[in-house]
Amino acid sequence: MSVLTLSTADASSDVDAYIAALLGFVGTRDPAEILAATPAEIEAIISGLTPKQVVQPERPGKWSARHLVQHLADSELVGGYRLRAVLAQERPPLTGYDQDLWAGRLRYDEIDVREALEQFTLLRRVNLRYWRSLSARELQRVGVHNERGEESLDRMRSLYAGHDLAHLAQLRRIVGALTG
């Protein structure tokens, strides 16, 4: 299992490796710029896929492009809630979730990839308004994640940017396996 595959069942043992991997993707780049660029990058990656390719996983038991884009939309929804909670409350609890359970129970197999991308793009645009407007003081506000502990908004922003980069690489790999 990859360090980037972190379910709630194994989160406590692999959380440090997961965080390091995501932050490593970002490096010295501006997280807000990464977040801003992701919707167009997804569009560019999936634009040439046929309807059959969009729903085909790279291999059995893995996600398809459709699953991945809907995961990003749902992750953006969760991230937007966390951002608002940390801005509005003092040290709010931040709950993790099992992405595979969400994919199954929220019926990712039934979702149109274009609708998923529209959801993601809209949510990202709204959330970016907040991310770009935060003061240095606001970036230091914290929430308490049930798997990762105390996290500042500054760290959360970098983790979300790394999450984007990790999934963009995964999406390129999926498309490459289907078209290459």
Side-chain angles (χ1 to χ4, degrees):
M1 180 182 330
S2 164
V3 297
L4 297 175
T5 305
L6 189 66
S7 70
T8 48
D10 59 18
S12 61
S13 63
D14 294 332
V15 70
D16 292 337
Y18 175 74
I19 289 170
L22 293 182
L23 295 176
F25 282 123
V26 176
T28 60
R29 295 173 57 192
D30 179 353
E33 292 307 313
I34 294 168
L35 295 172
T38 300
E41 290 191 42
I42 294 169
E43 173 65 36
I45 295 168
I46 68 169
S47 65
L49 294 180
T50 66
K52 184 178 178 181
Q53 289 171 322
V54 165
V55 301
Q56 184 177 341
E58 65 180 312
R59 59 184 190 270
K62 296 295 183 180
W63 281 0
S64 67
R66 167 176 57 190
H67 286 91
L68 190 53
V69 176
Q70 186 59 51
H71 165 68
L72 287 167
D74 282 345
S75 179
E76 191 66 18
L77 180 70
V78 171
Y81 168 77
R82 290 175 180 169
L83 165 61
R84 287 160 180 77
V86 173
L87 278 173
Q89 301 170 20
E90 295 304 318
R91 299 175 52 79
L94 306 173
T95 304
Y97 64 97
D98 186 319
Q99 65 187 19
D100 292 318
L101 287 178
W102 280 47
R105 293 181 181 170
L106 298 179
R107 301 182 186 120
Y108 285 14
D109 283 337
E110 299 172 15
I111 293 170
D112 179 86
V113 73
R114 292 283 163 201
E115 289 180 19
L117 181 55
E118 288 174 19
Q119 290 173 33
F120 175 70
T121 301
L122 176 62
L123 291 166
R124 176 58 57 87
R125 185 171 45 245
V126 172
N127 290 335
L128 269 172
R129 188 173 39 126
Y130 286 106
W131 286 122
R132 288 183 165 153
S133 71
L134 297 177
S135 68
R137 185 173 179 191
E138 288 171 321
L139 284 168
Q140 297 313 306
R141 293 186 59 79
V142 299
V144 182
H145 193 284
N146 69 311
E147 298 164 349
R148 300 188 299 253
E150 190 174 274
E151 286 186 346
S152 69
L153 286 175
D154 187 43
R155 184 176 184 106
M156 286 171 55
R157 184 176 61 176
S158 292
L159 289 173
Y160 290 128
H163 181 259
D164 279 10
L165 294 172
H167 282 307
L168 285 168
Q170 181 184 10
L171 189 56
R172 287 184 190 98
R173 189 183 69 237
I174 292 169
V175 171
L178 299 175
T179 62

